[in-house]
Amino acid sequence: QCLTNFEYTNEVAKEMSQAEAAVFMKFANTLEDPAIEYFAPNIFGGRLLEALRFSIKHIYQKSTKIDDSSSPFNQLINALIHFGDMGMVKGSFTFPEAKEYFEKIAPLYNKGITCPDSRERINIAKECMEQTRPLWEEMVKNQDEFQKLLDELMKALQSFGPHLMGDKEKSMKPTGAPNKAQERRERIAKRLKDSANTEDAADDASNSDESSDSSDNKSADSSEANSSPDSAEDKPNSKASADGGGSIPDESLECNADDYTATSEDANKLAEDEYVLDDGMLDEIEKSLKNEEARVEREHETESKTDELPDFSISSSAFRSARCLNRRIDCKSSGIISLYNAEVAKYNREIKTLKKALDQIFKSDMEENNRATSGSYNIMRGSIGTTARIFDKRRDPANLKDAAVVLAVDLSGSMSGAKEAQARKTCIILAEALSELKIPYYIMGFKADTESVDALHEHYVDWNGKKKDRASLINMRAGGNNFDGYSIRYAAELLKNKNASNKILFVISDGQPACHKYYGYNSGVADTINAIKDARKCCTTFGIALGRGCGPTILQKMYGKDFIYCEDEKLLANTLGKKLGKLLKTGAR
């Protein structure tokens, strides 16, 4: 983001046909990679820079040689990637046309790598594309895959955001340790450029007057006779010339006749010699990792001591007292975070859909006129005479985004299996969407009659909505009974103390309340009805039923009209999003 002008890249690509843009993006990407690596010392140094260079070496060693390329165009692109990574092409050209175009554009490509002007680099990538047009033009005419590639690339470009540095970083120069790969590229580029100039001069000479051939040949013969047979100038493919024109600098390695290609073994040996990870550096890395682990452990211990969970005194006519345990579900492992990221990626479409739907509601929350039976007379509706609502009343913005949401999830044993997975999915989608919209939310699970307590509350995400807390949703597990009345009152207390215009409580469950504190069906339902009635004094309370745990009659008895009976768990996240949007709009009126 510091070095690449994604906006300008996208702009240039849009001016091309779909197939051309796909080819252009190949050149742009292969050019930007070594340019970023070249200017990396301007951004960071030390161990990070060494790590980058070691990574480049490792990738270069693992890459396949260009001999395995399936087409001239792919061989050219692979050669440019090798050239950008280490300055040497790994393997030999099997397509003469690929070799021809590589030698033609390598000097220009090298210029692009060292160019500090981000827009100019993109222009150079475009010029490389144009100069190689005969190589790829026929190939892409009938290939639908290029459209798919373009769509993916454009989508990736748009996700990177704005270019952070100016377009004309003319003063930028690489710093830090000398870049041996760039030194090789410079020598190779110079040799290829000189070779091209020599060929042009030879073409000009062939058009000279025939009458001068004899004397020129005699002069040339004389010059050749007087020159040293070991002269580097007379032997462009000699070792001395190769070293000055781009060959591998290590005398123990042999280069091919091209002076810019190397066997797979030699190329790997070159990379190994340049970036050696010695024992001292390995010890430093191990020490650094241990220090980081210790720091994280200390940070976690501090959080456990200071981050107390809220505790409320809760009672009702159904129970005078109850033992409650509030437990924070922590995410201590980096592996859990990786699993969570994978789940987020899986539900990316639903997250974006929910965010977009809510975003549109917030954007529409502006001053508007509503039709009414009093207010300012609307002459158009008054003249039609088909409605009594012939007046306009101005509605001020309701500040819908000033909201707080609590999601209380029944994690009793009957929620095991598919319902538990769906509840987890719903929580992840809601958490990610609300986090992006910066709407405060709280996610807790509730159980009963386990671990020697009447009610167990598992706190996953608090009002801060930190990523490590969201990752703890992966650990959501069902078991025990459900003490709905107690837990709904507790969730309502969380919202009561929250300063927000719109307070919404969602309760996800699969059936009727059942725990030791309730002596039968009627006791549990009656207490839950009272708990919901009390909660609605401070917040909108909405029930969501999963599967066939209990029929809609019982739910309607507890929640009235404010519940969703969702037999198809796959639709729950979408339904919840729609209902949340509707509650925000109606609740704010």
Side-chain angles (χ1 to χ4, degrees):
Q1 288 195 34
C2 290
L3 297 169
T4 303
N5 193 329
F6 296 100
E7 184 179 359
Y8 183 65
T9 306
N10 201 12
E11 192 179 302
V12 172
K14 283 182 177 178
E15 295 175 355
M16 304 175 183
S17 68
Q18 294 173 348
E20 286 175 333
V23 175
F24 161 69
M25 289 304 302
K26 281 183 175 288
F27 280 102
N29 287 335
T30 56
L31 179 59
E32 281 297 303
D33 274 354
I36 290 168
E37 292 154 8
Y38 181 72
F39 288 109
N42 293 76
I43 312 299
F44 54 76
R47 191 179 297 143
L48 283 175
L49 188 60
E50 289 300 320
L52 172 64
R53 289 175 174 170
F54 182 82
S55 300
I56 297 166
K57 178 269 295 189
H58 187 74
I59 292 169
Y60 179 77
Q61 287 183 318
K62 291 293 183 183
S63 65
T64 56
K65 53 187 181 179
I66 62 170
D67 312 49
D68 301 329
S69 303
S70 58
S71 69
F73 179 65
N74 284 342
Q75 191 165 72
L76 172 64
I77 293 296
N78 290 335
L80 290 174
I81 291 172
H82 289 171
F83 182 61
D85 281 345
M86 294 294 293
M88 296 297 295
V89 178
K90 190 174 176 181
S92 302
F93 282 98
T94 55
F95 295 98
E97 58 268 50
K99 178 181 177 183
E100 175 191 345
Y101 281 106
F102 174 82
E103 293 181 345
K104 183 178 181 180
I105 68 169
L108 178 63
Y109 188 84
N110 181 64
K111 178 184 175 183
I113 292 174
T114 60
C115 179
D117 184 345
S118 52
R119 292 172 68 97
E120 183 59 27
R121 280 203 305 275
I122 300 306
N123 291 336
I124 288 173
K126 182 181 178 183
E127 190 176 343
C128 289
M129 179 201 81
E130 292 295 346
Q131 288 193 23
T132 59
R133 182 177 286 273
L135 190 63
W136 53 262
E137 194 165 34
E138 286 298 320
M139 183 183 71
V140 303
K141 280 184 178 177
N142 300 313
Q143 291 194 14
D144 294 336
E145 286 300 312
F146 273 86
Q147 175 56 43
K148 183 180 177 183
L149 173 65
L150 178 65
D151 292 341
E152 291 173 355
L153 289 170
M154 290 303 160
K155 194 173 181 181
L157 280 176
Q158 291 168 2
S159 69
F160 277 104
H163 178 56
L164 301 183
M165 294 182 72
D167 289 334
K168 300 287 182 181
E169 300 93 352
K170 295 296 187 183
S171 61
M172 184 182 289
K173 293 180 181 179
T175 58
N179 190 324
K180 293 182 181 180
Q182 185 55 33
E183 291 175 2
R184 281 192 292 277
R185 285 195 294 265
E186 293 288 355
R187 289 197 296 270
I188 293 170
K190 184 178 184 303
R191 186 185 69 77
L192 292 175
K193 192 173 181 180
D194 292 345
S195 177
N197 292 337
T198 302
E199 289 177 5
D200 291 342
D203 290 340
D204 293 339
S206 67
N207 297 325
S208 63
D209 202 346
E210 291 289 337
S211 62
S212 64
D213 277 353
S214 177
S215 59
D216 287 345
N217 288 337
K218 289 178 182 179
S219 176
D221 292 341
S222 175
S223 175
E224 185 174 353
N226 293 328
S227 65
S228 168
D230 295 327
S231 171
E233 287 80 359
D234 294 329
K235 292 188 176 183
N237 289 327
S238 70
K239 189 67 181 178
S241 175
D243 283 345
S247 69
I248 301 176
D250 190 336
E251 291 295 330
S252 65
L253 301 179
E254 292 296 328
C255 65
N256 292 343
D258 297 325
D259 289 340
Y260 51 74
T261 63
T263 65
S264 182
E265 293 77 13
D266 286 348
N268 290 342
K269 177 70 164 56
L270 174 74
E272 190 68 49
D273 289 346
E274 278 196 23
Y275 300 115
V276 178
L277 201 62
D278 58 31
D279 291 340
M281 191 178 294
L282 286 170
D283 290 341
E284 282 294 314
I285 291 172
E286 187 175 359
K287 182 180 178 182
S288 176
L289 288 172
K290 287 181 178 178
N291 288 340
E292 182 64 13
E293 287 174 355
R295 185 192 65 78
V296 171
E297 188 63 32
R298 287 195 303 271
E299 190 176 87
H300 175 70
E301 288 175 0
T302 302
E303 283 185 1
S304 300
K305 292 175 183 176
T306 61
D307 192 9
E308 297 294 334
L309 293 168
D311 189 17
F312 307 111
S313 178
I314 295 172
S315 63
S316 79
S317 58
F319 57 90
R320 292 302 174 192
S321 63
R323 292 167 299 166
C324 176
L325 172 63
N326 288 294
R327 175 193 295 153
R328 182 176 297 283
I329 305 300
D330 288 318
C331 173
K332 300 179 182 178
S333 168
S334 58
I336 296 293
I337 294 178
S338 298
L339 286 174
Y340 180 77
N341 289 337
E343 290 294 292
V344 171
K346 193 190 303 182
Y347 309 140
N348 190 46
R349 179 180 294 179
E350 290 99 324
I351 292 167
K352 286 185 175 179
T353 300
L354 176 56
K355 177 179 176 293
K356 185 178 179 181
L358 294 176
D359 214 21
Q360 287 176 345
I361 291 171
F362 299 142
K363 286 177 181 176
S364 66
D365 179 34
M366 60 185 68
E367 184 179 300
E368 63 181 26
N369 288 325
N370 289 337
R371 296 180 180 184
T373 55
S374 63
S376 301
Y377 179 71
N378 186 306
I379 191 170
M380 291 297 293
R381 289 202 300 276
S383 61
I384 295 172
T386 58
T387 176
R389 297 180 179 274
I390 57 174
F391 297 92
D392 288 336
K393 262 192 176 177
R394 192 182 74 174
R395 181 187 67 79
D396 293 327
N399 194 13
L400 301 182
K401 210 168 184 179
D402 182 23
V405 178
V406 169
L407 191 59
V409 184
D410 172 8
L411 292 179
S412 60
S414 60
M415 285 284 288
S416 299
K419 287 181 281 188
E420 175 195 291
Q422 186 55 35
R424 186 186 305 113
K425 173 184 175 181
T426 303
C427 291
I428 291 173
I429 292 171
L430 190 73
E432 290 301 312
L434 294 182
S435 291
E436 288 192 38
L437 292 168
K438 295 185 172 24
I439 296 177
Y441 63 96
Y442 201 107
I443 299 178
M444 59 170 279
F446 61 92
K447 304 175 182 179
D449 305 326
T450 182
E451 300 189 33
S452 302
V453 293
D454 299 310
L456 172 62
H457 295 153
E458 295 181 339
H459 298 253
Y460 294 93
V461 187
D462 62 19
W463 296 114
N464 294 319
K466 294 179 181 177
K467 179 65 175 283
K468 68 179 184 66
D469 294 336
R470 303 202 298 272
S472 69
L473 293 169
I474 290 292
N475 293 322
M476 191 174 276
R477 297 290 182 271
N481 292 324
N482 51 312
F483 194 176
D484 290 40
Y486 188 96
S487 298
I488 289 172
R489 289 181 175 92
Y490 181 93
E493 289 291 334
L494 288 173
L495 278 167
K496 187 184 293 184
N497 296 316
K498 193 68 181 171
N499 185 20
S501 301
N502 304 297
K503 301 177 183 181
I504 301 172
L505 168 61
F506 285 111
V507 183
I508 295 180
S509 180
D510 73 329
Q512 67 190 51
C515 67
H516 294 163
K517 280 289 182 179
Y518 293 146
Y519 302 101
Y521 158 75
N522 290 327
S523 173
V525 172
D527 183 56
T528 303
I529 290 172
N530 290 330
I532 293 169
K533 189 182 296 183
D534 291 340
R536 284 176 175 158
K537 294 175 182 177
C538 73
C539 61
T540 301
T541 306
F542 199 90
I544 301 168
L546 293 183
R548 298 177 177 274
C550 68
T553 305
I554 298 173
L555 288 164
Q556 191 167 17
K557 192 172 183 179
M558 292 190 296
Y559 289 93
K561 62 178 182 177
D562 291 332
F563 79 95
I564 301 171
Y565 185 59
C566 189
E567 287 192 65
D568 186 355
E569 291 91 351
K570 294 178 182 178
L571 300 177
L572 178 57
N574 189 40
T575 306
L576 179 60
K578 289 180 180 178
K579 180 54 65 175
L580 178 57
K582 187 175 180 181
L583 290 175
L584 284 171
K585 291 188 77 172
T586 56
R589 299 293 182 265

